[in-house]
């Protein structure tokens, strides 16, 4: 699986021009980016404090710019994506 993710990420990086890629063209990379977006959603706190008072959050990630690195010390991301949500935009996600 990780070999396929790396191969798909390299293929996308090596395109002649930057363009949106339909998620179904890179299923392994798409799954990785979906996992990243899910992790972001889970990490959003339900509440936060400001000036001593609690406030409550509801967050929707309709459009997320995500950089995924293979290692903590990598200088360049394995993949850089702007991913959209079907819930927000009414069509299939893209990366």
């Amino acid at each position: 699986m990780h070999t396929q993710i790396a191969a798909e990420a390299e293929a996308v990086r090596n395109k002649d021009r930057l363009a949106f890629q339909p998620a179904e063209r890179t299923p392994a990379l798409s799954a990785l980016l979906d996992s990243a977006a899910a992790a972001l959603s889970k990490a959003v706190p339900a509440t936060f404090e400001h000036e001593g008072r609690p406030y409550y959050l509801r967050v929707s990630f309709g459009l997320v710019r995500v950089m995924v690195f293979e290692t903590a010390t990598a200088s360049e991301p394995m993949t850089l994506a702007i991913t959209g949500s079907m819930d927000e935009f009414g069509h299939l996600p893209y990366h």
Side-chain angles (χ1 to χ4, degrees), residues 8 12 15 19-31 33 82-83 91-95:
E8 290 177 6
V12 170
K15 292 215 172 273
F20 287 106
Q21 300 294 314
E24 63 270 6
R25 289 188 188 165
T26 55
L29 185 57
S30 177
L33 293 168
I82 298 173
T83 184
H91 54 75
L92 291 174
Y94 54 83
H95 302 293

Side-chain angles (χ1 to χ4, degrees), residues 68-78:
V68 178
F69 294 81
E70 287 189 272
T71 67
T73 59
S75 60
E76 296 291 324
M78 176 182 63

